[in-house]
Amino acid sequence: MQDEHNLEEKVLSQSAEMMVSQALDKVEKIDINVQTDLFKIVQGQADGVLFAGEGLVIQDDIRVQEIKLQTDSIDINPLSALFGKIELNESVNAIGHIVVTEVDINRALTSDLIRTLMQNLELNVDGEIASFEPQKIQVFLPGEGKIECRGRVLLKEMRNTRPFAYTAMIRPRTHSQPAMVESFNCTEGEGISIELITALMHKAKELMNIPSFKWEDIEFSIKDIEVGIGSLTLMVKANVKQIPSSITELSP
């Protein structure tokens, strides 16, 4: 309970909540508990930090319904902290989960950040390079561990550019099973060759099996995925080498 925390924990926790809230475009709820005492603060140490939040939004279009992370012990620069700047002397590990809704995912897919990442993905089709540029993607979460994707793509191969639309049903990898594509159907256009389908399946498998992703100096590893009706839960492990520059300093 918050009332049971010592004064040092309360002060640091409230300062951390203010700092993170100012770095986000929007937040519905945030709760940070810095687990430490006065002696450890002087040494720039803490037993850990519990971070929990709901409705977090960054870059206007990237929203997380729920996030909960627990770090191990941390070592910070106490002098910098006095001036509102958090610097880690050593990297810190954290474990927890992230929940995103179907609405969150589809909103993110229309963001400039995701569109830039997905532009002109290349495929090796029997030694020839083909590329496809996603025009529209929609994701549906029907439950039972499945993700349905519907989209429209511009396919560029052999100096020819043509559109096609598709629907696909996939199962993301979990701790007990590999990523799987249950079905793939063309719903618009002339269809695609077997060789291209094979290359596309390899690319889909590659993307679904990415072991980790980075945001500035934070590396996230996905340990497990649970797909429910309308929501997706990622069990993650994070290694934080440094607090991202965009949120290291308190606003004046």
Side-chain angles (χ1 to χ4, degrees):
M1 297 293 291
Q2 185 71 21
D3 292 341
E4 297 173 353
H5 298 168
N6 59 45
L7 179 60
E8 297 84 19
E9 285 185 346
K10 288 182 179 179
V11 171
L12 283 180
S13 298
Q14 289 172 359
S15 297
E17 289 174 7
M18 182 183 300
M19 180 180 69
V20 174
S21 294
Q22 291 176 342
L24 297 168
D25 292 340
K26 185 183 297 184
V27 59
E28 295 173 9
K29 181 180 179 181
I30 191 167
D31 184 15
I32 298 177
N33 176 18
V34 181
Q35 299 144 358
T36 189
D37 57 39
L38 182 58
F39 179 72
K40 291 176 181 176
I41 292 173
V42 174
Q43 298 184 57
Q45 298 177 346
D47 293 327
V49 176
L50 176 62
F51 173 85
E54 296 178 10
L56 281 63
V57 180
I58 59 173
Q59 297 188 5
D60 293 327
D61 294 310
I62 311 299
R63 181 183 184 275
V64 172
Q65 174 64 29
E66 177 185 325
I67 183 171
K68 188 173 185 179
L69 295 173
Q70 171 69 58
T71 77
D72 56 18
S73 60
I74 63 175
D75 183 5
I76 63 174
N77 184 327
L79 182 60
S80 296
L82 291 175
F83 293 94
K85 185 174 182 180
I86 307 301
E87 293 181 345
L88 299 180
N89 292 330
E90 297 181 359
S91 63
V92 59
N93 293 318
I95 58 173
H97 69 263
I98 299 172
V99 179
V100 290
T101 67
E102 184 179 288
V103 174
D104 294 335
I105 295 172
N106 286 310
R107 181 179 177 183
L109 288 172
T110 64
S111 69
D112 292 337
L113 174 63
I114 301 301
R115 285 182 177 275
T116 299
L117 292 175
M118 298 184 68
Q119 279 184 348
N120 295 320
L121 296 174
E122 293 188 343
L123 303 174
N124 188 326
V125 184
D126 289 345
E128 297 289 337
I129 300 300
S131 66
F132 61 96
E133 182 179 333
Q135 298 290 294
K136 181 180 180 180
I137 304 176
Q138 282 187 294
V139 168
F140 302 90
L141 303 175
E144 299 182 347
K146 300 180 181 182
I147 300 175
E148 181 183 355
C149 298
R150 302 177 191 172
R152 190 172 186 275
V153 171
L154 276 181
L155 176 63
K156 304 174 183 178
E157 57 176 342
M158 303 294 291
R159 300 180 181 179
N160 181 38
T161 299
R162 59 189 177 89
F164 79 91
Y166 66 91
T167 62
M169 188 70 74
I170 63 176
R171 288 182 180 270
R173 65 180 174 87
T174 67
H175 71 282
S176 60
Q177 71 174 27
M180 300 178 66
V181 178
E182 287 197 346
S183 64
F184 182 88
N185 298 297
C186 291
T187 58
E188 178 187 329
E190 302 173 357
I192 54 179
S193 66
I194 293 176
E195 292 79 10
L196 184 56
I197 290 178
T198 301
L200 190 58
M201 292 302 100
H202 280 298
K203 175 61 71 172
K205 181 180 179 181
E206 177 185 318
L207 294 174
M208 289 190 291
N209 284 322
I210 291 176
S212 62
F213 56 95
K214 293 185 68 175
W215 175 54
E216 295 198 18
D217 289 319
I218 304 178
E219 183 172 4
F220 295 92
S221 299
I222 300 175
K223 297 303 180 184
D224 202 1
I225 300 176
E226 293 181 0
V227 184
I229 300 176
S231 68
L232 185 71
T233 301
L234 307 174
M235 270 59 75
V236 300
K237 181 177 181 180
N239 180 264
V240 185
K241 294 182 179 180
Q242 195 55 256
I243 305 296
S245 59
S246 58
I247 61 173
T248 54
E249 294 189 30
L250 288 170
S251 299

